[in-house]
Amino acid sequence: FESAQATFEDARYLGDDSGRTALGLALSQIGVGNGAAAAAVLDAARGSIPVSDYGLALALAGETGRGVDALAEALRGGENTAKLRQNLAYAYALDGR
């Protein structure tokens, strides 16, 4: 995870500002136990990361309530996909519900 984190940080330093790279960085930060940094990366890139990925990543970063809220709001807003429902269920489980 440390190697992945370094690679994603390098990519961002070199100008890659895609949501996919931000998500990869956040997940690698979660893997090394730095949930706070991951949540900050996710928040900064929120508009470029699909909500189904964003919400679950927040939950994995320790922000379970925020993750559930983001996913539930998207579902109520009409984004009724299998991936979103699956990630919402997982976020609920991480939140102890």
Side-chain angles (χ1 to χ4, degrees):
F1 289 115
E2 291 172 359
S3 177
Q5 179 180 342
T7 300
F8 284 118
E9 287 172 345
D10 288 346
R12 290 183 54 147
Y13 176 78
L14 293 171
D16 184 347
D17 61 354
S18 70
R20 184 179 173 123
T21 298
L23 181 62
L25 174 59
L27 292 174
S28 65
Q29 290 171 326
I30 292 166
V32 297
N34 196 349
V41 167
L42 292 166
D43 287 338
R46 182 174 186 169
S48 63
I49 299 173
V51 70
S52 59
D53 294 328
Y54 171 79
L56 180 58
L58 271 180
L60 291 170
E63 300 281 338
T64 57
R66 288 181 57 213
V68 166
D69 290 345
L71 292 164
E73 182 180 318
L75 184 61
R76 283 191 296 272
E79 188 174 332
N80 187 11
T81 66
K83 181 178 181 178
L84 185 110
R85 291 189 313 269
Q86 173 184 319
N87 288 354
L88 177 58
Y90 189 41
Y92 273 131
L94 290 170
D95 198 39
R97 300 193 229 174

